[in-house]
């Protein structure tokens, strides 16, 4: 079902298409009423898209590639080292 609602949308093309093609932002109705220019809203949308791209790449991507058993083994090793250090003191 389609309702008669009209929204303003900003589409930001990705600077690096390996991750996503475009980001779509739905602009609040009162965004331009608060004195923001179209250029300022577009810059904010671009900044938000670039920030998401930076957050989603890097260390988090590396951590996702490590299998769960490796995390479990690392935790068990760390706990063992803590017990050995506590017994030595």
């Amino acid at each position: 079902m389609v309702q008669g609602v009209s929204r303003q949308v900003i589409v930001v093309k990705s600077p690096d298409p390996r991750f996503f093609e475009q980001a779509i932002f739905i602009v609040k109705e009162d965004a331009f009423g608060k004195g923001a220019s179209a250029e300022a809203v577009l810059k904010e949308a671009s900044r938000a898209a670039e920030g998401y791209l930076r957050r989603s790449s890097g260390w988090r991507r590396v951590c996702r590639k490590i299998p769960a058993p490796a995390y479990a083994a690392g935790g068990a090793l760390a706990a063992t080292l803590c017990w050995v250090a506590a017994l030595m003191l």
Side-chain angles (χ1 to χ4, degrees):
M1 184 167 94
V2 178
Q3 294 181 345
V5 177
S6 175
R7 300 277 186 180
Q8 290 185 338
V9 175
I10 294 178
V11 178
V12 178
K13 299 291 183 185
S14 173
D16 189 358
R18 292 181 297 158
F19 299 109
F20 61 91
E21 290 181 28
Q22 58 189 359
I24 301 172
F25 293 92
I26 299 173
V27 181
K28 289 185 175 182
E29 291 178 16
D30 62 344
F32 296 107
K34 293 182 179 178
S37 67
E39 185 176 317
V41 173
L42 184 59
K43 283 183 182 179
E44 183 63 30
S46 295
R47 186 171 33 238
E50 289 171 11
Y52 175 79
L53 185 62
R54 272 189 244 113
R55 283 191 313 270
S56 64
S57 62
W59 181 250
R60 289 183 185 186
R61 280 190 24 223
V62 171
C63 291
R64 288 183 194 149
K65 292 182 181 181
I66 299 172
Y71 277 117
L77 180 63
T80 302
L81 291 175
C82 288
W83 273 104
V84 169
L87 292 174
M88 293 293 200
L89 295 175

